[in-house]
Amino acid sequence: MIIDLNAYIREAEPFWTELEDLLDRLDRDPAMRLDLDGIQRFYYLYQKAASDLARMAGLSAEQGIRLYLEALVARAFARIHESRKRGRAFSPLRWFVRDFPRTVRRRILALMVSAAIMTGGCLFGGLALSLDPQAKEALMPFSHLSGDPADRVAWEESADRDRLAGHKSGFSSQLIANNTRVSMLAMGLGITWGLGTLILLFANGVMLGAVVADYLLAGQGVFLMGWLLPHGSIEIPAIVLAGQAGLVLAGALIGRGQSMGLGNRLRAVGPDLLTLIAGVSILLVWAGLVEAFLSQYHEPVIPYAVKILFGAVELTALIAFLAFCGRSGEEVRP
């Protein structure tokens, strides 16, 4: 039994770091060969890491350490027994449908916090605009949203030509680039111990809530759903997922309840951060295409019912994808 867990981890961590550095060197240089002393040292470090992992197995409070050691021991085992499948190329599709949703579920607490903060911003923005309509310009700093929603709807529905003709691809690229920047910022601001990420999520929620309240108060709810749902059902969850990544980064920096050093904590969450932000980028590419090629076209060009149904199907599919994909063989963790 480990009596002083913190002291034990401090003593064992240099061995874990040494094993990780050795594995990294072997991965970077496939032609690298260890001499007899190197092989013996490598096997000793592997056995020690495996033993440490077994000791940590019953400590539910040290999940971060267990995740790190599991990955480390698995890498060493594969190197020793050459169990990796040679010649098997990385499959983007397999990664997206399996690893991405698994990572989202594994970091579910950060996702819940991210969603709660953005929802709080939405409620604040909607309530603020309802109580003080004059605050619209402060809550929605976009010129095309500052006017009367009824006037905009009348203008959109009376358009007698395709305003984006010949510019759909460029407009879509601008949307994708802008949304990706926001998402990268949401994750990167995790370096402020999560404060910047929380502020960004809340601010985006305020703007969204203000827009929704503005159109609902003007009696333009159908137009609002037909305009926002097709792309927003993917874009808004993607921003929440980016906030999740930022909070995961913040958790690693803060390290509350963890005895690992900062470097090892960051290395432990690195793969999850990369998976989350890459998955978010893919979702935003889809949202940008939908916004340029569908969301911007209203009745009589495309019936609102069709657009609303499309958005609802997208949202349902996204929830099912994140909740259930990749569960086969997934390890259940406390």
Side-chain angles (χ1 to χ4, degrees), residues 232-249:
S233 59
I234 302 297
E235 179 182 305
I236 295 169
I239 293 175
V240 172
L241 290 170
Q244 176 190 25
L247 295 178
V248 169
L249 174 58

Side-chain angles (χ1 to χ4, degrees), residues 5-319:
L5 179 60
N6 291 335
Y8 182 87
I9 291 174
R10 284 196 300 272
E11 180 180 344
E13 191 170 6
F15 295 97
W16 305 341
T17 302
E18 182 182 352
L19 176 59
E20 185 175 26
D21 291 342
L22 182 54
L23 287 167
D24 289 341
R25 292 202 306 273
L26 290 169
D27 288 340
R28 287 194 300 267
D29 184 7
M32 179 180 173
R33 293 293 182 268
L34 300 176
D35 58 19
L36 180 59
D37 290 339
I39 292 173
Q40 290 176 335
R41 180 63 177 175
F42 178 82
Y43 191 66
Y44 167 76
L45 293 171
Y46 161 69
Q47 286 184 314
K48 177 163 179 52
S51 175
D52 292 337
L53 175 60
R55 289 172 180 262
M56 299 292 175
L59 302 174
S60 59
E62 294 296 330
Q63 184 178 8
I65 296 177
R66 288 192 292 109
L67 290 173
Y68 170 73
L69 283 176
E70 285 173 4
L72 188 62
V73 170
R75 288 180 64 193
F77 180 88
R79 175 64 67 173
I80 291 171
H81 298 278
E82 291 296 328
S83 63
R84 292 174 297 174
K85 296 182 179 179
R86 297 186 179 274
R88 184 176 183 180
F90 169 72
S91 170
L93 179 60
R94 185 173 63 250
W95 162 82
F96 184 69
V97 301
R98 185 189 66 181
D99 295 347
F100 177 48
R102 282 184 177 182
T103 302
V104 172
R105 293 193 295 270
R106 185 164 58 248
R107 302 291 181 175
I108 188 65
L109 179 59
L111 177 63
M112 293 171 64
V113 173
S114 178
I117 294 299
M118 192 162 185
T119 301
C122 287
L123 295 175
F124 177 86
L127 181 62
L129 187 70
S130 300
L131 296 176
D132 183 10
Q134 301 301 318
K136 180 186 294 190
E137 292 187 3
L139 296 172
M140 298 184 294
F142 300 104
S143 58
H144 66 283
L145 294 175
S146 60
D148 186 346
D151 293 339
R152 182 195 174 191
V153 172
W155 182 78
E156 292 280 5
E157 294 180 346
S158 65
D160 58 356
R161 64 185 181 86
D162 186 350
R163 293 179 288 103
L164 294 176
H167 303 287
K168 293 186 183 68
S169 296
F171 180 62
S172 178
S173 298
Q174 291 176 2
L175 294 171
I176 293 169
N178 178 70
N179 291 332
T180 301
R181 279 195 298 270
V182 172
S183 298
M184 292 294 290
L185 184 61
M187 186 192 79
L189 285 174
I191 202 171
T192 63
W193 294 279
L195 181 61
T197 298
L198 296 177
I199 291 174
L200 183 64
L201 287 169
F202 189 81
N204 276 271
V206 168
M207 288 187 286
L208 177 61
V211 170
V212 171
D214 193 30
Y215 278 76
L216 290 180
L217 291 172
Q220 302 297 334
V222 174
F223 174 88
L224 175 73
M225 290 190 293
W227 166 41
L228 284 184
L229 267 181
H231 66 278
S233 59
I234 302 297
E235 179 182 305
I236 295 169
I239 293 175
V240 172
L241 290 170
Q244 176 190 25
L247 295 178
V248 169
L249 174 58
L253 289 172
I254 296 171
R256 183 178 178 84
Q258 300 183 39
S259 302
M260 296 170 59
L262 176 60
N264 283 335
R265 293 201 304 269
L266 291 175
R267 282 191 287 269
V269 302
D272 284 359
L273 293 179
L274 182 60
T275 296
L276 287 173
I277 206 63
V280 165
S281 298
I282 292 173
L283 294 179
L284 290 176
V285 168
W286 173 256
L289 293 173
V290 170
E291 185 170 1
F293 288 86
L294 178 62
S295 295
Q296 299 299 322
Y297 296 91
H298 313 288
E299 286 189 348
V301 178
I302 301 178
Y304 291 132
V306 172
K307 297 173 67 180
I308 293 171
L309 178 61
F310 180 85
V313 170
E314 279 185 306
L315 182 58
T316 302
L318 178 62
I319 293 172

